[in-house]
């Protein structure tokens, strides 16, 4: 039963709105037309992609961990180092460089065919030149409307925040535009053609604002969770411009990555060159001292003579020299770290590679220093992040110094042991000539300096080799390419949406209008808003005559009166039930019209009817039957005991079975007059002579006269009129029933569009 009820409601809803099919059809056609126009004038938006492979550093700490995770199939989207590159590629600073290099803060749109607008960046016949510092400080958007006719005359209008800040006509290119934001020069490009008109809208935005827009359009993500391939995607209608953005972004990313790598290598090279200059001078001095010593003491074959002794000390001296070399390097690193000028400088990590702890400490220190250097490119010393990195660098410097101290302690112990052994050998040679001792001492110094120079030269070559083979961090697999099918506008979806909107918009408008409507439009609507019964409905009359019920009349309105008559006869089935009170809320609802014609309809059933006009304040009954209400009537009867009922009854005016009693002259005290006891006597006499007595009373919403007549009525017919009687009037009628001011109330709906013929109804 529930399903049947729901289906019936759906059918009723469809039937309700089907009456407005013309409006729905017009709406559908209009929406489809607008959608087609939008598709024609809207530039298609495409999706552009670029794929890059991020190479991991072979000596990075995450490289081995990443390999292990891949082997165990725990890869969650590339190594941590590679995942970090997602944020580097989409960083604000890198995108801002793209904006500045491609001048994305300028947008050119050409107007064609009055409504179509084309993004013509890179293919514009004009350009606007200005100082780039303007875009760095511009905090609003400037719109240039530029119109050039075939004669080359240029009209320029500049707006900012909707306000015109510059306007001039008949300018010649190059045109200089002076504003509060700066000076702009409109120039021709190589695409400019003479004897041709142009219409452009050019937007000049701040670099930061343009960067934010680019960030919204750009997407950077992993192609596959188990691969180090990153895909860049961007949406745009300008093909060349969109491709240039992706390619330029990868170009700048690789350039920045190479610069980061070179910073450490350059710092190491600077340190090595400084030390080489100093040690080379010391080595030259040591060799000069040996040469001078030999000349002064005429020594030529001392080395051959002491060969046997030196061979015994060979291995020990090599280790001793290595320990001294390491100790000297550590002294240099410690001195370099302690200097105030090198407080935030990079350390040459490769010089201390023999000790793993020290190498790791220097590597961690350089990482944070490099991060601080990069951050200072776009921030100041007072930036909280810079301060935090400075604190970390201070702590890491202490770690490096501690590691250096530990290695030095070990080297000092080694050197001490070697020196003890040297002392032992020296004791053996106490007897040797002092010249030989001095020579050996000079030779030792020369060998140590030579070892240091050789070591630094080796490191210098390694560092230069590193710089020479420094490759880009990202390998571009696919340069920017376009997907051929545009992502917008979606023609099929837009057409479907237009169809849907074309149907739903008028339906929603009709629904809202009905909700907001204060009146009702049909008998069915009245039945939906009230619980009181509806006796029937009366359609609009097709003529100007107020008398629509006649013998052999077959009009729709006559048939509806016959249906109302049947219902009245059913309701007044008992013999003594004869009095029908006809009222309404206000004038103009057809109360008198209904009273006369329902009387005529009852008369056609061979019933004797009396119609009495008791709307004594504003009578209309006489006007409808072409009689004067001011003639002798019911008010004369109530106010004068000498007037009889027969003297006020008018017979055979429009029907032999219908008699009328007009209201008579308007009295000064209508309400009190209706309380006269003679009125009750009048009704008793009428009931004895007539089958039905119909009372045309005053509107209950205007005066209270009708409430005095309720006691006589066997049936109250409350006349309403579609699109005239308000819903509040219906609530007022219900309130009167609840307060027992009216009894046995039935609504009559007047002025409907319902048609009725030969007893069979058909819809609107």
């Amino acid at each position: 039963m529930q399903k049947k009820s729901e289906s019936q409601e759906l059918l009723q809803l469809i039937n309700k709105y089907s009456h407005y099919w013309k409006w729905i059809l017009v709406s559908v056609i209009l929406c489809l037309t607008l959608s087609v126009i939008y598709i024609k004038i809207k530039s298609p938006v495409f999706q552009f992609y670029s794929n890059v492979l991020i190479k991991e550093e072979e000596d990075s700490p995450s490289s081995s961990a990443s390999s292990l995770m891949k082997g165990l199939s725990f890869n969650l989207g590339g190594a941590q180092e590679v995942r970090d590159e997602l944020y580097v590629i989409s960083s604000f600073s890198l995108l801002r460089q793209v904006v500045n290099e491609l001048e994305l803060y300028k947008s050119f749109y050409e107007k064609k065919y009055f409504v179509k607008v084309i993004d013509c960046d890179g293919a514009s016949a004009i350009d606007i030149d200005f100082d780039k510092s303007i875009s760095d400080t511009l905090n609003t958007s400037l719109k240039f409307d530029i119109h050039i006719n075939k004669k080359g005359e240029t009209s320029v209008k500049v707006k900012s925040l909707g306000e015109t800040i510059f306007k001039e006509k008949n300018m010649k290119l190059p045109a200089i535009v002076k504003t509060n934001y700066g000076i702009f020069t409109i120039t021709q490009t190589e695409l400019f053609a003479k004897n041709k008109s142009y219409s452009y809208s050019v937007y000049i935005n701040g670099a930061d604002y343009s960067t934010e827009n680019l960030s919204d359009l750009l997407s950077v993500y992993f192609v596959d969770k188990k691969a180090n391939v990153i895909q860049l995607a961007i949406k745009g209608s300008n093909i060349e411009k969109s491709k240039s953005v992706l390619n330029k972004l990868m170009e700048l990313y690789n350039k920045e990555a190479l610069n980061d790598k070179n910073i450490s290598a350059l710092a190491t090279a600077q340190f090595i060159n400084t030390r080489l200059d100093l040690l080379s001078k010391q080595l030259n001095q040591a060799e000069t001292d040996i040469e001078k010593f030999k000349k002064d003491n005429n020594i030529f074959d001392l080395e051959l003579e002491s060969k046997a002794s030196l061979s015994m000390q060979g291995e020990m001296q090599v280790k001793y020299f290595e320990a001294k070399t390491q100790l000297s390097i550590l002294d240099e690193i410690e001195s370099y770290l302690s200097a105030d000028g090198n407080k935030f400088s990079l350390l040459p990590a490769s010089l201390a590679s023999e000790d793993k702890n020290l190498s790791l400490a220097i590597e961690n220190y350089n990482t944070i220093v490099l991060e601080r250097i990069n951050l200072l490119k776009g921030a100041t010393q007072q930036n909280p992040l810079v301060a935090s990195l400075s604190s970390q660098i201070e702590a890491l410097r202490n770690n490096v110094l501690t590691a250096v101290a530990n290695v030095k302690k070990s080297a000092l112990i080694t050197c001490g042991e070697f020196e003890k052994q040297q002392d032992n050998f020296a004791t053996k040679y106490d007897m040797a000539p002092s010249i030989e001792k001095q020579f050996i001492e000079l030779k030792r110094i020369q060998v140590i300096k030579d070892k240091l120079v050789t070591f630094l030269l080796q490191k210098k070559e390694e560092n230069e080799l590193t710089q020479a083979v420094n490759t880009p961090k990202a390998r571009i697999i696919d340069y920017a390419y376009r997907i051929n099918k545009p992502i917008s506008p979606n023609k099929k979806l837009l057409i479907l949406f237009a169809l849907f909107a074309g149907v739903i918009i008028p339906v929603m408008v009709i629904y809202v209008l009905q909700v907001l409507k204060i009146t009702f439009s049909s008998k069915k609507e009245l039945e939906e808003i009230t619980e009181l019964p509806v006796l029937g409905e009366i359609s609009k009359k097709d003529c100007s005559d107020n008398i629509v019920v006649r013998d052999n009349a077959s009009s729709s309105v006559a048939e509806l009166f016959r249906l109302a008559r049947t219902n009245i006869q059913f309701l007044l089935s008992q013999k003594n039930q004869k009095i029908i009170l006809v009222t309404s809320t206000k004038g103009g609802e057809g109360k008198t019209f209904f009273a006369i014609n329902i009387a005529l309809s009852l008369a056609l059933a061979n019933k004797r009817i009396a119609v009495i006009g008791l709307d004594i304040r504003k009578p209309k009954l006489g006007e409808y039957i072409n009689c004067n209400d001011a003639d002798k009537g019911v008010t004369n009867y109530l106010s004068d005991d000498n007037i009889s009922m027969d003297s006020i009854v008018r017979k055979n005016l429009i029907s032999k079975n219908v008699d009328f009693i007009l209201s008579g002259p308007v009295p000064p005290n209508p309400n009190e007059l209706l309380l006269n006891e003679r009125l009750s006597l009048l009704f008793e006499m009428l009931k004895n002579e007539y089958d039905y007595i119909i009372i045309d009373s005053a509107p209950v919403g205007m005066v209270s006269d009708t409430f005095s007549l309720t006691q006589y009525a066997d049936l109250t017919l409350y006349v309403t009129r579609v699109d005239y009687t308000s819903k509040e009037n219906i609530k007022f009628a219900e309130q009167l029933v609840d307060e027992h001011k009216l009894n046995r109330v039935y609504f009559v709906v007047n002025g409907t569009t319902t048609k009725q013929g030969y007893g069979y109804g058909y819809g609107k």
Side-chain angles (χ1 to χ4, degrees):
M1 295 297 291
Q2 182 66 23
K3 289 184 178 179
K4 183 177 180 182
S5 176
E6 291 178 355
S7 63
Q8 288 177 347
E9 290 180 1
L10 179 60
L11 288 174
Q12 291 174 357
L13 185 64
I14 293 174
N15 181 63
K16 177 180 179 180
Y17 287 104
S18 65
H19 300 304
Y20 304 97
W21 67 270
K22 293 182 180 179
W23 292 107
I24 295 175
L25 179 61
V26 171
S27 176
V28 169
I29 294 174
L30 180 61
C31 289
L32 286 175
T33 303
L34 291 176
S35 66
V36 171
I37 294 174
Y38 177 79
I39 291 172
K40 292 294 184 182
I41 66 174
K42 177 66 175 177
S43 299
V45 177
F46 296 92
Q47 186 78 50
F48 299 84
Y49 294 101
S50 178
N51 297 314
V52 295
L53 173 65
I54 303 298
K55 295 180 287 186
E56 297 183 50
E57 298 294 336
E58 295 181 358
D59 56 347
S60 66
S62 63
S63 178
S64 58
S66 175
S67 300
L68 177 61
M69 294 296 286
K70 288 179 180 178
L72 296 176
S73 300
F74 290 149
N75 194 331
L76 300 178
Q80 179 62 42
E81 179 185 352
V82 179
R83 288 199 297 272
D84 292 343
E85 299 306 314
L86 290 175
Y87 301 99
V88 176
I89 293 175
S90 59
S91 64
F92 189 87
S93 59
L94 193 60
L95 294 180
R96 202 175 194 277
Q97 292 184 53
V98 174
V99 168
N100 286 330
E101 294 211 9
L102 297 180
E103 296 185 345
L104 298 182
Y105 43 76
K106 295 191 293 186
S107 300
F108 292 81
Y109 297 93
E110 186 175 6
K111 301 177 183 177
K112 290 188 176 181
Y113 315 119
F114 299 103
V115 291
K116 189 167 186 177
V117 178
I118 301 174
D119 183 355
C120 58
D121 281 358
S124 172
I126 63 168
D127 194 7
I128 298 181
D129 297 327
F130 55 91
D131 193 333
K132 288 188 176 181
S133 62
I134 294 177
S135 66
D136 292 333
T137 58
L138 191 63
N139 58 1
T140 184
S141 179
L142 302 180
K143 181 184 178 183
F144 288 71
D145 288 321
I146 304 171
H147 301 279
I148 306 173
N149 61 23
K150 293 182 179 180
K151 297 180 181 179
E153 296 173 343
T154 304
S155 298
V156 181
K157 181 167 67 173
V158 184
K159 289 185 177 181
S160 174
L161 300 175
E163 181 182 352
T164 301
I165 59 175
F166 181 89
K167 185 177 182 180
E168 191 167 340
K169 297 181 179 179
N170 300 326
M171 301 178 72
K172 294 292 183 180
L173 296 181
I176 298 177
V177 177
K178 295 182 179 181
T179 69
N180 295 332
Y181 299 97
I183 299 176
F184 301 85
T185 304
I186 304 173
T187 60
Q188 301 176 1
T189 67
E190 58 184 10
L191 300 176
F192 188 89
K194 294 183 178 180
N195 299 322
K196 183 179 179 181
S197 60
Y198 296 95
S199 181
Y200 286 97
S201 289
V202 184
Y203 294 87
I204 307 296
N205 300 308
D208 289 341
Y209 177 78
S210 300
T211 304
E212 291 175 7
N213 289 340
L214 178 58
S215 179
D216 293 337
L217 296 174
L218 181 70
S219 299
V220 183
Y221 47 84
F222 279 111
V223 176
D224 188 275
K225 292 183 178 180
K226 295 183 179 181
N228 290 340
V229 177
I230 292 177
Q231 186 169 78
L232 288 75
I234 194 172
K235 301 174 184 177
S237 57
N238 190 311
I239 298 175
E240 295 303 322
K241 175 183 175 182
S242 301
K243 287 183 177 180
S244 299
V245 168
L246 293 181
N247 292 332
K248 178 61 70 172
L249 180 61
M250 292 315 305
E251 176 189 335
L252 293 177
Y253 168 74
N254 277 331
K255 183 178 179 180
E256 288 295 316
L258 288 174
N259 288 340
D260 289 344
K261 290 182 181 180
N262 289 333
I263 287 176
S264 179
L266 290 173
T268 301
Q270 183 179 2
F271 177 82
I272 291 174
N273 290 333
T274 302
R275 297 305 303 157
L276 273 176
D277 290 342
L278 179 61
L279 290 173
S280 296
K281 292 179 181 179
Q282 293 177 353
L283 179 60
N284 289 334
Q285 184 61 43
E287 291 175 346
T288 301
D289 292 343
I290 291 175
E291 181 182 2
K292 184 175 181 301
F293 182 81
K294 285 184 177 182
K295 287 181 179 180
D296 292 343
N297 295 279
N298 295 320
I299 298 174
F300 300 101
D301 297 321
L302 185 60
E303 292 183 3
L304 295 175
E305 295 173 0
S306 59
K307 184 177 180 180
S309 299
L310 292 175
S311 63
M312 295 174 62
Q313 304 177 38
E315 183 177 356
M316 179 190 67
Q317 286 182 342
V318 170
K319 295 181 179 179
Y320 177 76
F321 290 149
E322 289 177 355
K324 290 291 288 183
T325 299
Q326 184 68 20
L327 190 61
S328 177
I329 292 172
L330 292 172
D331 287 335
E332 295 296 338
I333 292 175
E334 190 175 38
S335 176
Y336 186 83
L337 272 174
S338 300
D340 291 336
N342 301 325
K343 190 173 183 181
F344 298 106
S345 301
L346 294 169
L347 291 177
S350 58
L351 297 181
S353 60
E354 288 80 4
D355 186 86
K356 293 183 178 180
N357 292 331
L358 180 57
S359 296
L360 182 60
I362 292 176
E363 182 179 356
N364 293 335
Y365 175 85
N366 284 343
T367 300
I368 301 302
V369 170
L370 183 59
E371 185 176 352
R372 182 179 181 274
I373 292 172
N374 290 332
L375 186 59
L376 283 174
K377 293 178 181 179
T380 63
Q381 295 282 353
Q382 288 73 29
N383 190 289
L385 291 177
V386 175
S388 175
L389 291 176
S390 300
S391 300
Q392 294 182 45
I393 291 171
E394 189 65 29
L396 290 173
R397 183 188 295 109
N398 294 333
N399 291 343
V400 174
L401 289 172
T402 301
V404 169
N406 291 335
V407 176
K408 280 183 63 178
K409 186 183 296 183
S410 177
L412 286 171
I413 293 173
T414 303
C415 288
E417 292 178 354
F418 289 153
E419 286 174 356
K420 287 181 182 180
Q421 294 179 14
Q422 289 286 354
D423 291 338
N424 292 335
F425 279 106
T427 302
K428 295 179 181 180
Y429 292 98
D430 283 341
M431 303 302 295
S434 60
I435 294 176
E436 185 176 358
K437 290 181 181 180
Q438 294 177 27
F439 178 77
I440 292 172
E441 185 65 27
L442 292 173
K443 188 64 177 179
R444 183 184 296 113
I445 294 173
Q446 185 264 338
V447 171
I448 291 174
K449 300 300 181 183
D450 183 68
K451 289 282 185 181
L452 286 172
V453 170
T454 302
F455 174 77
L456 290 175
L457 287 173
Q458 179 183 355
K459 293 300 179 182
K460 181 178 181 181
E461 289 299 320
E462 292 177 359
N463 192 58
E464 290 179 353
L465 181 62
T466 299
Q467 295 183 67
V469 298
N470 201 359
T471 57
K473 191 175 185 65
R475 174 192 167 193
I476 301 178
I477 301 175
D478 294 309
Y479 284 93
Y481 62 93
R482 183 193 73 176
I483 301 300
N484 288 328
K485 186 177 180 180
I487 60 174
S488 136
N490 189 325
K491 296 181 181 179
K492 293 182 179 179
L493 184 61
L494 197 58
I495 294 297
L496 289 175
F497 178 78
L499 287 171
F500 175 77
V503 174
I504 201 67
I505 289 174
V507 170
M508 291 299 296
V509 170
I510 293 168
Y511 173 77
V512 171
L513 290 177
Q514 289 179 346
V515 171
L516 298 177
K517 189 178 180 182
I518 63 173
T519 61
F520 58 90
S521 300
S522 65
K523 173 186 173 184
K524 185 177 179 181
E525 286 188 30
L526 176 59
E527 290 174 338
E528 290 175 353
I529 63 176
T530 181
E531 295 181 357
L532 294 177
V534 179
L535 177 80
E537 58 183 322
I538 305 300
S539 63
K540 294 179 180 178
K541 57 183 180 178
D542 298 328
C543 59
S544 60
D545 193 356
N546 291 319
I547 309 301
V548 296
V549 177
R550 302 179 186 276
D551 292 338
N552 300 320
S554 60
S555 64
S556 296
V557 64
E559 288 295 326
L560 290 170
F561 269 110
R562 291 189 182 99
L563 290 176
R565 177 189 68 192
T566 302
N567 292 335
I568 290 173
Q569 289 176 330
F570 177 77
L571 293 172
L572 300 179
S573 58
Q574 297 182 16
K575 188 176 182 180
N576 61 338
Q577 293 180 333
K578 295 185 176 183
I579 301 178
I580 303 171
L581 176 65
V582 180
T583 187
S584 64
T585 306
K586 55 186 177 180
E589 292 175 307
K591 167 179 59 64
T592 305
F593 167 77
F594 177 79
I596 295 173
N597 285 281
I598 196 64
L600 292 173
S601 182
L602 289 168
L604 291 176
N606 293 321
K607 303 294 183 180
R608 294 198 71 237
I609 313 299
V611 180
I612 179 170
L614 288 178
D615 184 1
I616 59 178
R617 295 177 186 264
K618 195 174 180 181
K620 289 288 184 179
L621 183 60
E623 180 182 338
Y624 276 58
I625 60 175
N626 296 321
C627 289
N628 190 354
D629 279 297
D631 294 341
K632 186 183 293 184
V634 69
T635 56
N636 302 101
Y637 174 81
L638 294 177
S639 60
D640 188 351
D641 294 341
N642 295 321
I643 296 177
S644 64
M645 182 190 76
D646 293 335
S647 64
I648 61 173
V649 174
R650 298 173 184 268
K651 300 178 180 291
N652 299 319
L653 291 178
I654 55 178
S655 173
K656 64 179 181 178
N657 290 333
V658 180
D659 295 340
F660 292 91
I661 300 177
L662 302 180
S663 60
V666 177
N669 54 344
N671 196 276
E672 289 77 6
L673 191 62
L674 292 176
L675 297 175
N676 194 308
E677 293 181 356
R678 296 201 62 182
L679 182 60
S680 176
L681 179 61
L682 176 62
F683 282 123
E684 288 298 326
M685 290 187 292
L686 291 173
K687 288 175 71 174
N688 292 329
E689 294 189 19
Y690 296 94
D691 295 312
Y692 295 101
I693 298 95
I694 298 176
I695 303 173
D696 179 23
S697 67
V700 294
M702 309 296 291
V703 293
S704 62
D705 299 352
T706 304
F707 301 141
S708 303
L709 306 175
T710 303
Q711 56 181 322
Y712 307 112
D714 299 310
L715 178 66
T716 302
L717 298 183
Y718 201 103
V719 180
T720 62
R721 184 178 174 185
V722 296
D723 298 325
Y724 183 78
T725 304
S726 68
K727 297 175 183 179
E728 289 296 325
N729 295 153
I730 302 302
K731 292 181 179 179
F732 174 70
E734 292 175 336
Q735 181 181 349
L736 294 179
V737 173
D738 293 338
E739 295 174 355
H740 304 291
K741 293 182 178 180
L742 296 175
N743 55 21
R744 293 199 72 188
V745 175
Y746 286 80
F747 284 116
V748 175
V749 184
N750 186 27
T752 67
T753 57
T754 300
K755 302 296 181 181
Q756 192 77 16
Y758 301 102
Y760 296 93
Y762 54 92
K764 287 186 181 181

